[in-house]
Amino acid sequence: MFSSHLFPFCFRRLIEMWWFQQGLSFLPSALVIWTAAAFIFSYITAITLHHVDPALPYISDTGTVAPEKCLFGVMLNIAAVLCVATIYVRYKQVHALSPEEPRIIRLNKAGLALGLLSCLGLSIVANFQKTTIFAAHICGAVLTFGLGSFYMFVQTILSYKMQPKIHSKQVFWIRLVVVIWCGVSAFSMLTCSSLLYSGHFGSDIVQKLHWNPEDKGYVLHMITTAAEWSMSFSFFGFFLTYIRDFQKISLRVEANLQGLTLYDTAPGLINNERTHLLSKDT
């Protein structure tokens, strides 16, 4: 017979097995899930309202026309904030694990700068639609995908330099495969989009949201959009590799109150508030 004491124990063990209960692993998980939800919800809305074609539209095309552009913008702005938090925590973790490695320190700082600029690009893409301010939208896309790809490359190099003492070889190889996947997608997208927007296929391509197989440049359009979606999935895959690393790190805020009142005190009794990011050894 099933014991009444066994159910609470099994339920507790099940809760403990959930990875998002460990450390800060919820950060990269929330980033990927929220960003994917932004793409899916805006895509479904745009398809339902017949604003774009179901077959592989540009990701940004699904957030070009109201009301989906409102949802797309708000959700991607929140995704940018989650991305900033994830990149910063990763930076602090590498910094704590390799305090006396000059090369790793320089690469880590470069990765932080690239990652933050990529987050800025994501916010620009979310708020400047392709059909309204094309130049700003393209700048945001270059920051997001271009510098984001370099960020992934830098983090892969860091994973290589930190193995096998801090990073496992398996994590490095997984990230290397994802970076190669991202590079192939980026090359395909850059090549085909350059040909598509060269001016040989009409001047209204920027405003075009519906494509037919008979249209000039249709094949290039499909390759470009497929490469864009593939590149986005490679970003998702890369950030998912952070989950295991983030299970070993926690965030703690310490507030030191140096006074018994909230009135102005002597200079030596100013409130001091410190934030510590504690990293455990892998």
Side-chain angles (χ1 to χ4, degrees), residues 203-214:
S203 58
D204 62 337
I205 292 182
V206 174
Q207 306 293 330
K208 195 169 186 177
L209 298 178
H210 296 277
W211 288 79
N212 297 314
E214 299 80 14

Side-chain angles (χ1 to χ4, degrees), residues 176-236:
L176 180 61
V177 170
V178 174
V179 166
I180 294 173
W181 170 18
C182 178
V184 172
S185 301
F187 178 78
S188 303
M189 184 175 68
L190 180 63
T191 303
C192 293
S193 61
S194 298
L195 294 173
L196 185 62
Y197 289 94
S198 62
H200 296 90
F201 300 98
S203 58
D204 62 337
I205 292 182
V206 174
Q207 306 293 330
K208 195 169 186 177
L209 298 178
H210 296 277
W211 288 79
N212 297 314
E214 299 80 14
D215 295 338
K216 292 182 179 180
Y218 178 78
V219 175
L220 289 174
H221 167 74
M222 294 301 292
I223 295 175
T224 304
T225 54
E228 183 186 43
W229 282 97
S230 175
M231 195 172 181
S232 299
F233 289 140
S234 71
F235 275 66
F236 292 163

Side-chain angles (χ1 to χ4, degrees), residues 17-191:
M17 289 172 58
W18 288 357
W19 42 264
F20 57 80
Q21 298 284 328
Q22 303 178 27
L24 294 178
S25 58
F26 69 89
L27 262 181
S29 307
L31 170 61
V32 172
I33 293 172
W34 184 268
T35 309
F39 292 168
I40 292 171
F41 291 156
S42 60
Y43 174 82
I44 292 174
T45 306
I47 293 300
T48 302
L49 298 176
H50 305 288
H51 291 162
V52 296
D53 299 321
L56 287 177
Y58 284 113
I59 296 175
S60 55
D61 282 355
T62 64
T64 299
V65 183
E68 60 267 20
K69 75 174 183 179
C70 306
L71 179 67
F72 189 77
V74 170
M75 294 191 72
L76 281 193
N77 283 328
I78 297 175
V81 174
L82 290 172
C83 192
V84 168
T86 302
I87 288 170
Y88 178 73
V89 170
R90 173 63 179 174
Y91 163 78
K92 294 296 290 184
Q93 184 182 44
V94 173
H95 178 75
L97 291 172
S98 304
E100 298 178 358
E101 293 287 342
R103 291 183 179 180
I104 292 181
I105 291 173
R106 289 195 295 268
L107 283 172
N108 197 29
K109 290 181 178 179
L112 176 65
L114 290 170
L116 294 180
L117 288 174
S118 178
C119 296
L120 174 63
L122 182 61
S123 183
I124 293 174
V125 167
N127 295 282
F128 294 87
Q129 287 75 36
K130 183 185 74 172
T131 55
T132 54
I133 308 179
F134 182 71
H137 184 83
I138 290 299
C139 288
V142 170
L143 288 175
T144 303
F145 289 115
L147 297 189
S149 300
F150 282 113
Y151 169 79
M152 291 164 55
F153 180 69
V154 168
Q155 291 299 324
T156 303
I157 295 177
L158 285 172
S159 299
Y160 173 76
K161 290 185 173 297
M162 294 169 71
Q163 66 165 343
K165 183 179 178 181
I166 298 175
H167 258 304
S168 66
K169 293 183 178 180
Q170 183 182 10
V171 170
F172 162 70
W173 284 110
I174 292 174
R175 288 176 182 167
L176 180 61
V177 170
V178 174
V179 166
I180 294 173
W181 170 18
C182 178
V184 172
S185 301
F187 178 78
S188 303
M189 184 175 68
L190 180 63
T191 303

